């Protein structure tokens, strides 16, 4: 029964990357009804107990959405349904689906790291987290392969930019993607609506077009999660939360320490994670001109075009 519930919940789950908590907007009565339709007699109370055992929890509303947001509940729901259909379509055709995002930036040094760990003696750390006393900064950009349950973290050392995001995804494709999916000509990317891979970020689209579509001949489809719903991005609760738990309570005193904790992150469901350090400078404020954008072979979906588009090479 747990397997059937997990199947029903695979597109209905959100999670916190720091605590590992998971939740769903489906009620236990609705889940029970769907199970009953499939021939499994079960009560909402039993569903609640099973969900609790699977790591889900009850959540209350949080006032996080801005009043000036133009995103309606109807458009958010439509986008979730669209993403679910895309995932099913790509999975059916055996094509890669990756979830991407930037994890919380970390100071490198003897600083306090949230959480607790088993030690014979308390670990001594600095009493203040002053960036000026850090040995550097770790910027972890993550790529999570949903089908393979494999994660890759590219650790940058300077700035979170669209170029860094595009470089990270290209590195993943060269190192893993093309070998795992040798016959794939298409790639689906699930991303948040803002940041380095934001829906309105011109440099993000420009990088994907030149570094994936043009250079590697991929047809790249991108679907963005609506504003205020980033916790539904699978990478948050399937990869980032596991890394946070693995290094909880342990100072990240060097880049090697960061990489080692990332690489040693595993789960009972078979998650494995690779990590690479990219020590190159990235500049902010890079502008992509209108003329450069017109050169991109980009097709927007008729439904919710600001969140859904496909990039393909000029010859595709």
């Amino acid at each position: 029964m747990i397997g059937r519930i997990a199947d029903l919940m695979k597109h209905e789950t959100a999670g916190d990357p720091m605590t590992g908590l998971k939740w769903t907007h489906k009620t236990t009565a609705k889940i029970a009804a769907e199970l009953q339709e499939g021939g499994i007699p079960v009560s909402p109370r039993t569903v609640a107990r099973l969900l609790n055992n699977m790591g889900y929890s009850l959540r209350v509303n949080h006032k996080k959405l801005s009043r000036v947001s133009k995103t309606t509940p109807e458009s958010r729901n439509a986008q979730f349904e669209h993403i679910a259909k895309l995932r099913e379509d790509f999975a059916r055709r055996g094509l890669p689906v990756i979830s991407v995002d930037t994890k919380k930036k970390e100071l490198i040094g003897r600083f306090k790291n949230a959480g607790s760990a088993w030690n014979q003696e308390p670990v001594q750390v600095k009493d203040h987290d002053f960036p000026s006393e850090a040995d550097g900064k770790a910027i972890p950009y993550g790529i999570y392969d949903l089908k393979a349950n494999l994660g890759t973290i590219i650790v940058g050392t300077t700035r979170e930019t669209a170029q860094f995001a595009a470089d990270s995804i290209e590195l993943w494709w060269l190192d893993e993607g093309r070998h795992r999916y040798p016959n794939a000509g298409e790639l689906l990317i699930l991303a948040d609506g803002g940041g380095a891979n934001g829906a309105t970020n011109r440099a993000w689209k420009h990088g994907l077009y030149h570094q994936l579509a043009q250079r590697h001949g991929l047809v790249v489809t991108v679907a963005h999660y609506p504003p205020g719903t980033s916790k539904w991005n699978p990478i948050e609760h399937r990869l980032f939360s596991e890394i946070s738990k693995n290094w909880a309570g342990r100072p990240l005193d060097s880049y090697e320490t960061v990489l080692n904790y990332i690489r040693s992150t595993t789960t009972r469901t078979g998650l494995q994670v690779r990590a690479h350090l990219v020590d190159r400078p990235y500049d902010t404020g890079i502008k992509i001109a209108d003329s450069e954008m017109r050169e991109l072979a980009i097709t927007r979906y008729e439904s919710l075009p600001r969140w859904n588009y496909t990039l393909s090479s000029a010859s595709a």
Side-chain angles (χ1 to χ4, degrees):
M1 187 185 300
I2 289 180
R4 178 58 180 149
I5 292 177
D7 186 58
L8 289 174
M9 303 291 289
K10 63 182 180 181
H11 298 321
E12 309 289 345
T13 300
D16 191 309
M18 302 304 294
T19 65
L21 284 175
K22 294 188 291 184
W23 60 92
T24 176
H25 60 72
K26 279 192 174 183
T27 65
T28 54
K30 185 175 182 179
I31 297 171
E34 291 180 3
L35 290 171
Q36 290 166 10
E37 290 175 1
I40 302 176
V42 64
S43 69
R45 185 180 294 276
T46 299
V47 169
R49 177 174 55 80
L50 292 173
L51 285 175
N52 183 69
N53 293 339
M54 293 168 67
Y56 289 83
S57 63
L58 291 171
R59 305 288 291 186
V60 298
N61 293 161
H62 281 201
K63 293 183 178 180
K64 293 292 182 69
L65 298 178
S66 171
R67 288 187 303 167
V68 300
S69 174
K70 297 180 181 179
T71 304
T72 65
E74 292 76 18
S75 61
R76 284 197 294 270
N77 184 65
Q79 182 64 359
F80 275 108
E81 292 179 352
H82 176 68
I83 289 175
K85 290 178 181 177
L86 281 176
R87 289 176 60 174
E88 293 288 354
D89 176 57
F90 273 71
R92 177 179 52 81
R93 294 188 286 147
L95 297 172
V97 179
I98 59 173
S99 171
V100 304
D101 196 14
T102 305
K103 193 180 186 302
K104 174 179 171 288
K105 302 173 184 66
E106 304 286 351
L107 294 177
I108 301 298
R110 300 289 292 184
F111 300 109
K112 180 181 179 180
N113 197 4
S116 58
W118 291 99
N119 291 292
Q120 290 184 320
E121 298 290 338
V123 177
Q124 301 296 314
V125 296
K126 296 182 178 182
D127 56 357
H128 288 86
D129 297 343
F130 292 128
S132 59
E133 296 184 5
D135 297 324
K137 179 171 57 176
I139 305 171
Y141 191 86
I143 300 101
Y144 175 68
D145 184 330
L146 276 69
K147 180 181 179 182
N149 192 27
L150 297 174
T152 297
I153 301 292
I154 311 300
V155 180
T157 61
T158 54
R159 296 176 180 86
E160 176 194 359
T161 69
Q163 184 62 62
F164 173 52
D167 284 352
S168 298
I169 297 173
E170 184 184 24
L171 194 158
W172 168 83
W173 177 252
L174 290 171
D175 191 53
E176 299 181 53
R178 64 177 178 174
H179 304 294
R180 195 173 300 144
Y181 305 96
N183 299 317
E186 298 181 55
L187 171 67
L188 173 60
I189 299 177
L190 307 179
D192 288 353
N197 45 229
T200 61
N201 193 325
R202 287 187 169 194
W204 157 252
K205 298 180 181 69
H206 187 270
L208 292 183
Y209 174 74
H210 286 285
Q211 294 180 236
L212 292 175
Q214 283 284 77
R215 191 174 297 169
H216 302 292
L218 288 169
V219 176
V220 182
T221 298
V222 183
H224 292 274
Y225 285 88
T229 65
S230 63
K231 294 296 187 292
W232 297 89
N233 197 351
I235 195 172
E236 299 285 348
H237 52 280
R238 295 192 186 180
L239 178 59
F240 287 168
S241 65
E242 302 300 334
I243 294 172
S244 294
K245 288 187 286 186
N246 195 41
W247 67 30
R250 306 176 188 276
L252 304 176
D253 52 13
S254 70
Y255 285 109
E256 191 61 32
T257 298
V258 170
L259 295 173
N260 286 339
Y261 278 125
I262 292 173
R263 290 167 180 158
S264 63
T265 299
T266 58
T267 64
R268 289 179 294 178
T269 58
L271 173 69
Q272 294 183 356
V273 189
R274 295 184 180 183
H276 308 272
L277 183 68
V278 175
D279 189 14
R280 59 160 285 189
Y282 286 95
D283 296 323
T284 59
I286 296 177
K287 304 293 183 182
I288 306 299
D290 292 343
S291 58
E292 294 179 275
M293 291 300 295
R294 286 194 290 268
E295 294 175 356
L296 307 188
I298 181 169
T299 303
R300 296 186 179 277
Y301 282 68
E302 291 185 6
S303 175
L304 303 170
R306 56 179 170 160
W307 295 332
N308 304 289
Y309 48 89
T310 296
L311 296 150
S312 56
S313 64
S315 58

